[in-house]
Amino acid sequence: MSSESSFDIVSKVDLQEMANAINQAEKEIDNRFDFKGSNSTIKLEKEELVIASDDEFKLQNVLDILQGKMTKRGISIKNLDYGKVEPASGRSVRQRIKLKVGIDQENAKKINVLIRDSKLKVKSQIQGDSIRVTGKSRDDLQSVIQLLRKANLPLDLQFTNLK
């Protein structure tokens, strides 16, 4: 058995849960009185959401419904990167929302600085779009997880492969 323990810090969105949240939101939109006769849609295209509606007010309502469904399904709304509202065909409007998958270099550096400043006896290294944290004490690794959960980071983190 090795004396070093480790875990990975990742940021990802469960696309199946996202599809379920979209289906629930579409059902609610179909049944709501204030959306009768409107042309409001939510589409998931690879790692991007496209929301379209009749006007900006209805678009914001569709977005609120979707965010509520995402929260109930355990998907963090921190992983959404909102584009600007743009005119679409006819009188409708559309908004593209990118799903943040992976930890970008800027946030990875912030996480590394947080871990280093904590004075815990662990090492962290960036591995592509994830971060590997290693240390001799599992208690130190648990402390790093607690530290990162309390930190107000602009993305949702998951902790995997605790060995």
Side-chain angles (χ1 to χ4, degrees), residues 19-72:
N20 292 339
I22 290 170
N23 287 338
Q24 287 181 336
E26 285 178 331
K27 283 180 185 175
E28 182 173 332
I29 290 166
D30 288 343
N31 292 328
R32 277 187 43 172
F33 178 75
D34 54 339
F35 282 101
K36 290 285 185 237
S38 83
N39 189 16
S40 299
T41 60
I42 306 170
K43 289 189 179 107
L44 179 62
E45 298 173 352
K46 294 184 182 173
E47 292 175 355
E48 184 176 66
L49 287 170
V50 179
I51 300 176
S53 193
D54 298 338
D55 54 48
E56 285 191 44
F57 179 73
K58 283 188 179 168
L59 185 99
Q60 188 58 47
N61 285 341
V62 169
L63 193 55
D64 290 343
I65 292 168
L66 178 63
Q67 288 174 343
K69 299 301 181 190
M70 286 172 59
T71 304
K72 284 183 182 175

Side-chain angles (χ1 to χ4, degrees), residues 89-147:
S89 62
R91 294 183 184 161
S92 61
V93 292
R94 162 179 56 217
Q95 184 174 22
R96 294 185 181 279
I97 303 170
K98 287 188 178 12
L99 299 177
K100 294 181 192 172
V101 179
I103 302 172
D104 59 82
Q105 289 297 316
E106 181 181 326
N107 284 314
K109 288 177 184 173
K110 284 182 191 175
I111 292 169
N112 269 343
V113 168
L114 277 172
I115 293 171
R116 197 175 332 115
D117 291 348
S118 71
K119 305 290 188 220
L120 293 167
K121 294 182 179 177
V122 295
K123 288 181 249 165
S124 61
Q125 64 188 56
I126 301 171
Q127 296 182 331
D129 60 356
S130 67
I131 300 173
R132 165 85 33 102
V133 179
T134 57
K136 291 189 183 203
S137 167
R138 280 186 165 234
D139 290 338
D140 286 346
L141 295 180
Q142 292 290 338
S143 298
V144 169
I145 291 173
Q146 291 305 315
L147 170 83

